[in-house]
Each structure stands twice: as C-alpha cells, then as structure tokens.
Amino acid sequence: MTSTDSAQKPAAKDPWDLPDVSDLVVGVLGGTGDQGRGLAYRLARAGQRVIIGSRAAERAQTAADELGLGVEGAANADCASRSDVVIVAVPWDGHAKTLESLREELSGKLVVDCVNPLGFDKKGAYGLKPEEGSAAEQAAALLPDSRVAAAFHHLSAVLLLDPETAEIDTDVMVLGEERADVEIVQALAGRIPGMRGVFAGRLRNAHQVESLVANLISVNRRYKAHAGLRITDV
C-alpha cells in the first residue's frame, strides 16, 4: 500500500457517533404492563413522542393518561402503524400471537424486542430457549418484512416508573443485523439520563442476553436490589 492509498482510506467510524432520533415516534406494544409503561415513561420524559399499544384501545389510553407527558394510547395495530420504531414488551406467552397479528402493520418498521422468555419453579427463575433460539429470533422469523433488533432486557420496571429516580444507572445491550438500526436503538437508550446503549452482537447472540435476566432476578432477591448492568472499558 502506498502512502497515497493510505491517505485515501476513510477514517474508521466513531462507534459513539449516533444519529439524532428526537423526531422518531416510538410505539410500545404491551405498554400497559410494568416494563412497557416504564419504557414509555422514560422515553416520553426524555422528550420522545410515545404511543402505548394494547389489545384494548381504552386500556392503552387509561395507561397513557396516567403517565402524562404527552403519551398517547391506541390499539396495538394503530400503535404499530403510527410509529417509526416499535418496542415489543408483551408477555412471552403472547409474543408470537401478537407479532403474527401485526405483521402487516409492522412491515418496514424497526422492531425492538425486549421480551425475556423465562420459566419459574421452586429454585427461582430460569431462561427458556424458544425453537428459533430466542424471542428476538422468533420475532425476526415472524416479521420477515421488518427490521428486528433486541434491547432493553435488563431494566428494572420499579426504577423506570419511579418519578423520584432521576437517572437509570445502566447500560443497554443492543443486538441486531444492521449497524444503522442498532445505532438508532443505542441513540434512543442514550436519551434516557444515566443510560447507554452498547452493541452486543447479532441476533443469534440474543438468547444469553434474554436469559441473563434470570440471574438478575436472583441478584435482586438476594440483595433486595434493582440491579442493572455496566460494560467496563468501553
């Protein structure tokens, strides 16, 4: 390689050079549950326009009114069609059915799955492994015309919903197939004070990220905490 070739080589992209996402509309499917409401609240508090989705529009609107901050409520299909980015925060047992029913409305959208397939027995929580490998991979299989990423798995709903908690001290592991989509999700996470989105691999690595929630549940029970994660040296 000549000095001329070296000079023409573009500089590596700064991994923390993230896009402006302030104008995106974020929909939250399962937005009446604790995790969904918590994410909706934090994003709206950061200035994002947010729509909560539920099977019943009235229930979604009630939850939105309780949160305030301009949050809107709508039936799931309306929420999906009106949003630029859609966060999936539904219970695991309704995950596949919900996404199948919204395939058309989610076409072309960036879908961010934060569902954790978990089981519980006398020994505590443990991770389940779906046939597709993970909840995120199931979403990708069910939504071939959507761009699927995975994130927001390890957040405490208690802290998200607590108005006295000014910052959420945690990193968000973001997985996806396209760098541009991952960076959008990282940027959304970064709008929440104290939070940072960190790329953590492709969707084939989502299973261990989803299952790690079982370990955090054990931590929280033993230490009476609301544990999150921090990635060091990044």
Side-chain angles (χ1 to χ4, degrees), residues 95-158:
H95 184 260
K97 184 177 180 180
T98 299
L99 296 184
E100 284 176 333
S101 71
L102 297 171
R103 184 174 294 159
E104 181 177 346
E105 290 83 359
L106 292 171
S107 177
K109 308 280 185 178
L110 174 54
V111 177
V112 185
D113 203 296
C114 70
V115 175
N116 303 303
L118 297 176
F120 296 86
D121 60 18
K122 293 180 180 179
K123 295 182 179 180
Y126 60 95
L128 302 175
K129 190 159 189 179
E131 182 179 346
E132 299 84 355
S134 64
E137 288 169 296
Q138 183 183 87
L142 293 171
L143 303 172
D145 297 322
S146 303
R147 296 133 50 212
V148 176
F152 302 116
H153 300 91
H154 307 132
L155 306 180
S156 164
V158 173

Side-chain angles (χ1 to χ4, degrees), residues 6-20:
S6 178
Q8 292 176 344
K9 186 177 180 180
K13 185 179 186 300
D14 180 353
W16 299 111
D17 181 14
L18 300 174
D20 179 5

Side-chain angles (χ1 to χ4, degrees), residues 24-177:
L24 296 181
V25 179
V26 179
V28 184
L29 302 179
T32 58
D34 288 346
Q35 194 77 358
R37 285 190 302 119
L39 282 167
Y41 173 67
R42 288 291 160 175
L43 287 168
R45 185 166 161 171
Q48 211 74 37
R49 184 182 169 196
V50 178
I51 304 173
I52 282 178
S54 178
R55 285 177 296 177
E58 298 81 4
R59 187 179 176 201
Q61 190 57 56
T62 297
D65 291 342
E66 290 173 352
L67 292 179
L69 300 170
V71 176
E72 301 176 58
N76 279 334
D78 190 26
C79 170
S81 63
R82 293 171 56 200
S83 301
D84 301 305
V85 178
V86 179
I87 297 174
V88 181
V90 300
W92 167 239
D93 59 7
H95 184 260
K97 184 177 180 180
T98 299
L99 296 184
E100 284 176 333
S101 71
L102 297 171
R103 184 174 294 159
E104 181 177 346
E105 290 83 359
L106 292 171
S107 177
K109 308 280 185 178
L110 174 54
V111 177
V112 185
D113 203 296
C114 70
V115 175
N116 303 303
L118 297 176
F120 296 86
D121 60 18
K122 293 180 180 179
K123 295 182 179 180
Y126 60 95
L128 302 175
K129 190 159 189 179
E131 182 179 346
E132 299 84 355
S134 64
E137 288 169 296
Q138 183 183 87
L142 293 171
L143 303 172
D145 297 322
S146 303
R147 296 133 50 212
V148 176
F152 302 116
H153 300 91
H154 307 132
L155 306 180
S156 164
V158 173
L159 294 182
L160 289 173
L161 286 166
D162 180 9
E164 299 302 316
T165 299
E167 297 187 358
I168 306 295
D169 181 22
T170 192
D171 285 331
V172 171
M173 299 176 76
V174 184
L175 303 99
E177 299 302 319

